Amino acid sequence: MTRHDGRLADQLRPISVQRGFTRHAEGSYLYSSGNTIVLCTASIEPRVPPWLEGKGKGWVTAEYNMLPGSTRPRKPRDRGAKIDGRTTEIQRLIGRSLRAIVDLTALGEQMITVDCDVLQADGGTRTASITGAYLALHDAIESLRQQDLLPNADAAPIIDSVAAVSVGLVDGVALLDLDYQEDLVAAVDMNVVMTGKGRFVEVQGTGEEATFSEDELHALLGLARGGIKSLSELQQHELSR
Amino acid sequence: MTRHDGRLADQLRPISVQRGFTRHAEGSYLYSSGNTIVLCTASIEPRVPPWLEGKGKGWVTAEYNMLPGSTRPRKPRDRGAKIDGRTTEIQRLIGRSLRAIVDLTALGEQMITVDCDVLQADGGTRTASITGAYLALHDAIESLRQQDLLPNADAAPIIDSVAAVSVGLVDGVALLDLDYQEDLVAAVDMNVVMTGKGRFVEVQGTGEEATFSEDELHALLGLARGGIKSLSELQQHELSR
Amino acid sequence: MTRHDGRLADQLRPISVQRGFTRHAEGSYLYSSGNTIVLCTASIEPRVPPWLEGKGKGWVTAEYNMLPGSTRPRKPRDRGAKIDGRTTEIQRLIGRSLRAIVDLTALGEQMITVDCDVLQADGGTRTASITGAYLALHDAIESLRQQDLLPNADAAPIIDSVAAVSVGLVDGVALLDLDYQEDLVAAVDMNVVMTGKGRFVEVQGTGEEATFSEDELHALLGLARGGIKSLSELQQHELSR
Amino acid sequence: MTRHDGRLADQLRPISVQRGFTRHAEGSYLYSSGNTIVLCTASIEPRVPPWLEGKGKGWVTAEYNMLPGSTRPRKPRDRGAKIDGRTTEIQRLIGRSLRAIVDLTALGEQMITVDCDVLQADGGTRTASITGAYLALHDAIESLRQQDLLPNADAAPIIDSVAAVSVGLVDGVALLDLDYQEDLVAAVDMNVVMTGKGRFVEVQGTGEEATFSEDELHALLGLARGGIKSLSELQQHELSR
Amino acid sequence: MTRHDGRLADQLRPISVQRGFTRHAEGSYLYSSGNTIVLCTASIEPRVPPWLEGKGKGWVTAEYNMLPGSTRPRKPRDRGAKIDGRTTEIQRLIGRSLRAIVDLTALGEQMITVDCDVLQADGGTRTASITGAYLALHDAIESLRQQDLLPNADAAPIIDSVAAVSVGLVDGVALLDLDYQEDLVAAVDMNVVMTGKGRFVEVQGTGEEATFSEDELHALLGLARGGIKSLSELQQHELSR
Amino acid sequence: MTRHDGRLADQLRPISVQRGFTRHAEGSYLYSSGNTIVLCTASIEPRVPPWLEGKGKGWVTAEYNMLPGSTRPRKPRDRGAKIDGRTTEIQRLIGRSLRAIVDLTALGEQMITVDCDVLQADGGTRTASITGAYLALHDAIESLRQQDLLPNADAAPIIDSVAAVSVGLVDGVALLDLDYQEDLVAAVDMNVVMTGKGRFVEVQGTGEEATFSEDELHALLGLARGGIKSLSELQQHELSR
């Protein structure tokens, strides 16, 4: 089977990363995976949500949004009373993924919000958001360290890295990193979030009007594990520059 | 390790099912799993959502809600502009799970909404909702058949059964069917939806501020598979009475 | 004139009461009047609304809701920005009715919310809600007394009982306790709320595109008085078990 | 007992009526009862609500609002998501009162909206709104007749007049037409809507944290009957000028 | 060129002013410019917005609204989630215009809200609102002085007067004070706000699907200057009575 | 007087323009003016708003938004019921500015939405949005021409170019193109929108708690004229590449 863009079944799309794309947020990356482009900014605020006040812990949260011009046809802006269920799900997923690799106590009573705004969508926007959000979060926490704003100079709030990738079944074949065209025809769609050390954070496999066997589940998890290993190395490389 | 209610690690809570609990909806079950009680009603409407009109297919959707008195302290009613992200996620999950075992074309241009209203909550409300919703959906479709309202008398809109259960890691031990008290301390929480024929519909494993290994993932999936087998048999038994 | 279900003009529908239907709320009743079924739960919170703070008084309030599956066709869920005017009217009525028989000072600075969720609707849901809500409120206050959470052990926050019934003019005949089918064709619809001691709390008589004479008003009030006497005795009986 | 403004127990406040106060709406009255001032405008639209389309009937509805400057302290404007329960109740009452005296079939497929905007509030705003709204509605229907826009030139859409007044128990004494100061201390508050021919449209008696006897109910109804008789004559007089 | 109502190009519509139209707000004017009628009330509250607390300054703000019956056809009431963009723009403009002539420090920590409710609309409602709002604001501040509620008895919170007028290009001719009929066909519409001392507060010139030259801009500004001079004198005269 | 960034009083910030920044929208520009960065995308839809249907005309509209990470501190996302008044004003201004230079009839019955999403804010975001939006609009209309989707191949929907700039009074000195730091301390702030042919589209001069003289108005208008001339030439140059 040949993929429409010539990739192998276990091949990621080309990644490009632009550090410091904007300057007000403490961390800011323009992250592209193929034709999916996400602006990930991490902003620090010297407060925590009300339910965390006085507990000596910080908080990391995320918001996700697709710009109207990121799709064709144009996607109406998510304004007004009705928030999109898909948007809510995705931003909760990003937030959980980041918190899984942060020691919130070592962060101290401050809050980091990572905004993932999709400038161009071609499938995999949620996994690109997680992978890019980790980079932005890293830089924001680094800026705290450099300004001596962490409660303990020796402690490391970041205890692992995190990245994500989608896998899916298309015509019965397990494929890595689906783009929009592949996503449309996939019978099963799975998003996997893993740390750099190879531990799972989230596994979300879904058949829309379809089901999958245990063997298919294992094939998909194997593909994902390989893809995330590459993404973790790329993150490592980018941050060490 | 002993569970606080004396169950074994791989033991479900006691299930009770009351068919025809109310009479206006075409399917109506009061479904209890331990102290979790959900009213599942399936209502038929002779229309489909706008985006499905004229395609000769039906639709199955779900709504989930917790009554204010279902928890202590009382849960404020989900009214007004801000819909709860958790509620949205759960009702989308229930809907997808049901659609995975329905042949929407065999249903014809009609819509079934399954409402899952939690009367009492003690953990596992989303999985109890799915397991009970299948029963209500079954009766609603049966009532269509009996009234000759299916497009093809020979076709079977229901192609499999579906049930769900939660599993989780508590103090490093994999447990089946967590109640609220166990859920609170679980490091990893996983919801698995499977059909009666043993195929996966959804796998959602989540570590909140925690991660899990491949071995742990497999242990959890094994437990879930066993629990769902029992639930499927119970459903079968209930519907054959 | 014969009523469609064989009742006499001054006859109530059969009542059934299930105490302790759920366990988290301090008072919980499944209350049925004919085919109308309401779940009434009374939940205690150790606070009062902002405008009552520091005044040494408690508060009793109510919320009313119809579950989607309680009617045929299904009633869309009351979510989002636009709250139904009818719902607002009814829950304000229930709240006022309960407060009329409670000594809020003897309750102390705590708040009881009675939730009336209609599981099945067949007319008279607001009056069933009031009659059932009184029972749930009673148990909640009793639980406060048993836990010694009332400011004065000798004072009695509940100073009377309260119940409600509908009456109406159908084809010029005054009928007690209208069901849905009768309600639809009634020219005048009146809801009466009275205490066990026979004093009025509310009288709401309404002609939708119709009017009524003074004689008709008196006939309706007489019927209501009789019906509420029976309901009060039933409440007394239920609580003394 | 002397009332604070010197009125007798059964005496109305002075009424003033200014016809044609504005010119765009087909009926427009500035209606004052003591210090309560309401602008009532009746606007015609050549359509009916969706659920009435094609039935050959018209519709009459009302909206009620208090201007921010109508009270001291200023009342925040009723904008945004949360509509005031009291506002909803009142405008539904006004609408029902008007429809009780209109033959909607004789009106034809058109809709009249009567807006009651309170410019200054001193108690009795809902009853003043009903009494003034009738006048505005009358003129709007008259303008339809003059422009030959009624389906049947001989039929009379208005079949009676309608007016309203409040009565209440203050220190155990029944008083007619309460102003704000009296309303605040009334144990029981009752609004009565009657037609010019002396038939009831609505009776709404409410005890907030209080109850009332059958004798008190009759005394209040008697007072209301007298007050509405005077208001009906005043309306008649005004419209015949 | 003759204007449809016989006015000269540089002639204002007739103004009428009724002081103390209502009594609860500290300043209250019924202000008419031709057929445009606005009720302007200024209400004092002994607090400031959160962001001004503790700064020793007061605040002046405005709200603008058109009553439903003020236009033909009836304008739907501005309720619910979606606030009209035009309304927002206008009330921000009125607020800024008033603050330009008030010394907020001399006002002390109190807030004045000026409500401009349009009872009848015939063009120029925003400029009539500003001109009338100044009068109401003046009386509210005067009432503070008389009750000795200003922080410094010698200081004058009002440092100038303010008034506004519209000008526009109709068929290439610059006209003063457009009414609705002229507004509809104007290629360019400009609102000018000026103080009694002849200084600009706001200049807002807009071509909807049209543009204008520098010469036209100057002609319009000249007309506006003349009109505002007359309005300022009228305000002066009114307040000195 | 020296400006903090060394510019002369009549000097624009450096402009940078990146054409085709994203690929789904028919026109897409990353437009930067100093540290203000706006993504302007123009999307075509084959429909018009309901009130324009069947009139043979097209429509051009705009939406404006600031991304949360575009400012420090982070700007909360504009979600939920309350839309920001400033946002509404700005996007209406952008829409009017674009429509002033488009022949809507030559566009045919289609709609172009220009989205201006501010990625980084440093003052002048609304004027940068207008200047960049023109470029995106141009490319979208060009793509219509190339696909032969204009009703008349010879007609030119774009009849002029449009650009905008801010000017203001800082310490009594008129400055061109204020950045955020200058904007904060400006007594008067004016936004001017002009066409490439030198005609005004909008003039919006505002003193927040300040006023300005006729001379100052003229000085500001002169500066703006010069700045817009340069911007128009830059647009011309960019589009001719």
Side-chain angles (χ1 to χ4, degrees), chain E residues 101-104 106-107 141 145 150 152-160:
Chain E
I101 53 95
V102 172
D103 174 350
L104 294 172
L107 183 55
I141 288 178
R145 180 191 311 287
L150 291 174
N152 182 337
D154 299 333
I158 292 191
I159 55 186
D160 202 341

Side-chain angles (χ1 to χ4, degrees), chain F residues 67-115:
Chain F
L67 294 207
S70 67
T71 59
R72 176 174 298 183
R74 178 181 181 270
K75 183 180 181 296
R77 214 168 272 274
D78 193 18
R79 274 175 180 161
K82 210 165 176 184
I83 302 170
D84 192 71
R86 178 183 166 277
T87 296
T88 311
E89 273 190 42
I90 293 176
Q91 63 190 19
R92 283 159 57 93
L93 170 64
I94 302 171
R96 283 196 310 267
S97 299
L98 296 175
R99 286 191 297 274
I101 53 94
V102 171
D103 175 349
L104 294 172
T105 303
L107 182 55
E109 290 216 2
Q110 38 204 346
M111 175 158 144
I112 301 178
T113 303
V114 184
D115 288 285

Side-chain angles (χ1 to χ4, degrees), chain D residues 63-222:
Chain D
E63 293 194 3
Y64 168 93
N65 188 44
M66 291 174 71
L67 294 207
S70 67
T71 59
R72 175 175 297 185
R74 179 180 181 273
K75 182 180 182 298
R77 214 169 273 273
D78 192 19
R79 276 176 180 160
K82 209 166 176 182
I83 301 170
D84 193 69
R86 178 184 166 275
T87 296
T88 311
E89 273 191 42
I90 293 176
Q91 64 190 20
R92 282 159 57 95
L93 171 64
I94 302 171
R96 283 197 309 269
S97 299
L98 297 175
R99 286 191 297 274
I101 53 95
V102 171
D103 175 350
L104 294 172
T105 304
L107 182 56
E109 289 215 4
Q110 39 204 344
M111 174 159 144
I112 302 180
T113 302
V114 184
D115 289 286
C116 299
D117 284 273
V118 178
L119 305 192
Q120 188 169 282
D122 187 31
T125 59
R126 84 185 68 188
T127 52
S129 292
I130 291 169
T131 309
Y134 167 71
L135 296 170
L137 175 67
H138 174 279
D139 284 9
I141 289 178
E142 203 48 44
S143 96
L144 286 174
R145 181 192 311 286
Q146 280 163 19
Q147 298 169 75
D148 236 349
L149 290 172
L150 291 173
N152 182 337
D154 299 332
I158 292 192
I159 56 186
D160 202 342
S161 67
V162 68
V165 80
S166 77
V167 286
L169 285 180
V170 176
D171 294 336
V173 181
L175 298 180
L176 178 68
D177 191 18
L178 309 185
D179 66 13
Y180 182 67
Q181 196 170 323
E182 292 169 333
D183 208 34
L184 270 185
V185 296
V188 175
D189 182 32
M190 181 174 289
N191 292 290
V192 179
V193 186
M194 278 186 112
T195 70
K197 293 178 183 156
R199 290 179 65 84
F200 289 102
V201 177
E202 293 257 348
V203 175
Q204 295 195 339
T206 296
E208 172 75 37
E209 305 178 23
T211 57
F212 51 105
S213 70
E214 189 125 18
D215 283 355
E216 288 166 334
L217 173 61
H218 289 166
L220 291 169
L221 288 171

Side-chain angles (χ1 to χ4, degrees), chain E residues 147-169:
Chain E
Q147 299 168 72
D148 235 350
L149 291 171
L150 291 174
N152 182 337
D154 299 333
I158 292 191
I159 55 186
D160 202 341
S161 67
V162 69
V165 80
S166 77
V167 286
L169 286 180

Side-chain angles (χ1 to χ4, degrees), chain B residues 107-139:
Chain B
L107 182 57
E109 289 216 2
Q110 38 204 346
M111 173 159 145
I112 302 180
T113 303
V114 184
D115 289 286
C116 299
D117 284 272
V118 178
L119 305 192
Q120 189 169 282
D122 186 32
T125 60
R126 84 185 66 189
T127 53
S129 293
I130 290 168
T131 308
Y134 167 70
L135 298 170
L137 176 66
H138 174 278
D139 285 8

